[in-house]
Amino acid sequence: MPAHHFIANTRRPASDDRTIPVIDPADGQAFDRIARGSAQDIDQAVRAAQAAMGEHFDGPWALTCARDRGRLLAAWGRAVLEHADELAGIEARDTGKTLRTARNDVLALARYFEYYAGACDKLHGETLPYDVGTLVMTVREPHGVTGHIIPWNYPVQIFGRSVGASLAAGNACVVKPAEDASLSTLYLAEMAARVGFPPGALNVVTGYGAEAGAALSAHPGIRHISFTGSTVTGQRVAEAAARHHCPVVLELGGKSPQIVFDDADLDAALPVIVNAIIQNSGQTCSAGSRLLVHESIHDAFVERVAERFRALRAGPPASDADLGPLVNRTQYERVRAMLDTARREGLTEAARGRILDGAPPDGYYQEAVLLRAVPRDSVLAREEIFGPVLITQAFRDEAHALELANSTDYGLVAGVWTRDGARQLRMARHLRCGQVFINNYGAGGGVELPFGGVKSSGHGREKGFEALLGFTALKTVAIRYGRNA
Ligand code: NDP
């Protein structure tokens, strides 16, 4: 299939015919090409979305009622489940994630469509008390055309949560997937057209972030942007959007702590803590990447984690490996550079997993690594690594645990492991982040649960009903009907 965008329900090549190779992270070889979008292509996509909305919200998509939007989303969700294996295969090949992870992502995508399908016709305004003889109501309306900049780590899930909610609220979407993970997005857009979304409701322009992504965030026709990715790029997107007064939801990185007290159920905590950092090879914004353990049990518990780490195997997506390759060479080199820094800082490596025999030598495989008792000012304790690297720190008491947990610039998720109910509540109250898990850890899971950060982890909320509200603009209508004589 020639490289193309998907605009107004049709495949279109880049306006200057340029393309980008698609690399398989399992062996470093190109296996496909995508279109290299430009500002001109973004403009075409925005115009198609504007036509679907109509200048006065009188276009075909704007006139599709909530019930019918819900039916379309439900049909799309069913189609995703019918093609789950095919979609998971595309995602695993494109991003390097294991087939198991890719399949979970596809199931989560279907859940987003189900959830937002059911929510469309429950999204309503209120009536407000005001002067006698005046009826005041609020109406939830779409913003218009929304922009969605999707990263490469959870393409279908992030597509589902952001595009699903936006379409449910009645907006038309222009999506720019990451150049390393565009194939599933193109596939989903064609599926949307097949289940009946009208032309222009959903448009996809592929290409580089600095070209197509920058053009999308700067386009004055975009009335809301959802961005998931790095803090630096998030700032750029927000600056560009501010120039045309466009609201932005930023879901940026994290350095999320898992805090283990000495009264915790350690057997329950152990597998969850390991999974929360190796899932998707650590390329997860909400990865539990700092393990804070009470000093009385730190050494013994860290040794139990180390035992698990030594058994972890990185390998190709189609093997039974615990971790797939990292998504691309840049990410691989970024993680290796962090591990070089750890060596230079003299940090202690408590454990390292291994790479499966027979994994292609040019693939981007990184073993799981456990770094023990890392000082809080180390870059490894402060910055997102976005690879399968877990650091540990010992704390003295609850206050010290909180101080360490809140000590980074990030604030996305925290996990707390303790049986003490009052301590659970105190920790939940004082942790500076967007989600707190007590005696479990969601790693962003649960389509119903609002998700997002504070500080450098971003602002605004994805997922759940909260996200749906964010995709609407509230209009207040006051009707003067007078009084009885
Ligand atoms: P980026 O933030 O650069 O990329 C995220 C998305 O933004 C991609 O779709 C990218 O497109 C796009 N983009 C890049 N530059 C611009 C721009 N100027 N204007 C608009 N959109 C743009 O992340 P990277 O892929 O470079 O990864 C770097 C680090 O970011 C990772 O190591 C990790 O720490 C963090 N990250 C966090 C994620 C999260 O879930 N919060 C997800 C991904 C990364 P393209 O990829 O085509 O350039």
Side-chain angles (χ1 to χ4, degrees):
M1 194 195 304
H4 60 271
H5 307 306
F6 197 72
I7 298 174
N9 285 1
T10 53
R11 294 176 184 172
R12 297 201 194 158
S15 46
D16 52 12
D17 282 326
R18 288 189 302 174
T19 61
I20 302 170
V22 179
I23 309 290
D24 183 344
D27 59 14
Q29 305 302 309
F31 68 96
D32 204 345
R33 300 192 80 79
I34 52 168
R36 179 169 166 179
S38 60
Q40 202 178 331
D41 300 332
I42 288 287
D43 187 56
Q44 276 187 24
V46 174
R47 284 174 194 277
Q50 285 173 325
M53 292 304 293
E55 195 181 345
H56 308 291
F57 286 6
D58 50 0
W61 179 238
L63 295 178
T64 304
C65 72
R67 182 189 57 231
D68 291 342
R69 292 200 305 273
R71 284 180 175 154
L72 284 169
L73 277 164
W76 199 8
R78 285 193 298 276
V80 165
L81 289 177
E82 279 159 24
H83 295 86
D85 288 337
E86 196 181 346
L87 195 47
I90 291 171
E91 192 77 328
R93 178 115 200 246
D94 205 6
T95 64
K97 53 177 77 214
T98 61
L99 271 171
R100 194 178 52 250
T101 310
R103 209 181 146 78
N104 284 340
D105 289 359
V106 170
L107 297 182
L109 163 71
R111 254 310 276 148
Y112 280 115
F113 290 163
E114 263 171 31
Y115 179 86
Y116 286 118
C120 285
D121 53 6
K122 285 102 193 156
L123 183 63
H124 51 75
E126 297 176 319
T127 54
L128 307 178
Y130 191 56
D131 287 347
V132 172
T134 306
L135 175 67
V136 181
M137 60 188 170
T138 56
V139 186
R140 292 216 165 257
E141 298 188 335
H143 291 290
V145 180
T146 55
H148 305 259
I149 299 175
I150 316 271
W152 42 260
N153 56 342
Y154 288 92
V156 297
Q157 282 212 46
I158 294 171
F159 178 94
R161 77 185 187 200
S162 117
V163 171
S166 181
L167 289 172
N171 300 286
C173 304
V174 178
V175 183
K176 207 301 279 177
E179 95 253 5
D180 287 309
S182 293
L183 302 182
S184 56
T185 304
L186 288 166
Y187 182 97
L188 285 167
E190 301 216 359
M191 192 185 261
R194 277 201 304 277
V195 302
F197 281 87
L202 170 62
N203 309 277
V204 177
V205 175
T206 59
Y208 291 120
E211 297 173 357
L216 179 63
S217 24
H219 198 296
I222 296 290
R223 302 310 326 150
H224 180 285
I225 294 186
S226 319
F227 171 84
T228 303
S230 64
T231 307
V232 172
T233 305
Q235 264 168 5
R236 278 192 200 124
V237 168
E239 279 165 17
R243 281 186 215 114
H244 57 282
H245 314 290
C246 174
V248 181
V249 170
L250 296 179
E251 200 270 89
L252 309 174
K255 191 74 181 173
S256 300
Q258 295 266 21
I259 307 162
V260 182
F261 286 91
D262 52 0
D263 65 341
D265 179 345
L266 299 180
D267 293 338
L270 182 62
V272 179
I273 286 170
V274 172
N275 184 57
I277 182 63
I278 65 156
Q279 176 182 311
N280 208 35
S281 304
Q283 302 166 120
T284 304
C285 47
S286 54
S289 52
R290 289 185 293 152
L291 176 58
L292 315 186
V293 188
H294 188 262
E295 60 187 8
S296 66
I297 57 165
H298 176 269
D299 291 1
F301 187 64
V302 168
E303 185 43 38
R304 289 184 68 186
V305 178
E307 228 172 83
R308 297 275 178 124
F309 264 58
R310 287 181 202 111
L312 293 171
R313 298 146 314 138
S319 69
D320 65 345
D322 306 293
L323 302 84
L326 300 181
V327 70
N328 57 27
R329 175 156 294 284
T330 309
Q331 192 57 29
Y332 176 74
E333 284 168 359
R334 197 175 281 150
V335 174
R336 307 292 283 195
M338 286 296 253
L339 290 170
D340 287 345
T341 305
R343 263 188 294 280
R344 274 199 307 279
E345 287 187 2
L347 302 182
T348 308
E349 193 174 296
R352 181 176 280 256
R354 64 183 180 87
I355 295 172
L356 276 180
D357 296 339
D362 292 333
Y364 311 128
Y365 301 99
Q366 170 60 53
E367 310 94 332
V369 174
L370 180 65
L371 297 170
R372 192 175 177 285
V374 174
R376 65 184 277 179
D377 57 351
S378 163
V379 68
L380 281 290
R382 288 184 287 109
E383 284 186 16
E384 186 171 55
I385 300 172
F386 232 57
V389 182
L390 178 63
I391 67 127
T392 82
Q393 293 175 320
F395 64 82
R396 289 185 302 278
D397 52 23
E398 199 176 302
H400 189 207
L402 259 178
E403 192 193 320
L404 286 174
N406 288 337
S407 67
T408 73
D409 290 339
Y410 294 106
L412 195 56
V413 181
V416 180
W417 298 87
T418 177
R419 289 184 166 101
D420 179 333
R423 180 191 276 151
Q424 292 171 358
L425 295 175
R426 283 193 300 272
M427 293 299 286
R429 166 77 180 78
H430 295 293
L431 283 162
R432 299 281 301 119
C433 58
Q435 277 188 337
V436 177
F437 289 95
I438 313 271
N439 294 332
N440 71 110
Y441 194 83
V447 308
E448 309 86 347
L449 317 185
F451 176 67
V454 299
K455 303 194 285 185
S456 297
S457 290
H459 52 75
R461 292 294 175 262
E462 303 266 11
K463 301 188 176 187
F465 214 81
E466 198 65 31
L468 199 55
L469 297 178
F471 278 110
T472 64
L474 198 70
K475 181 183 276 175
T476 306
V477 181
I479 306 165
R480 181 77 191 151
Y481 58 86
R483 312 170 59 157
N484 287 341

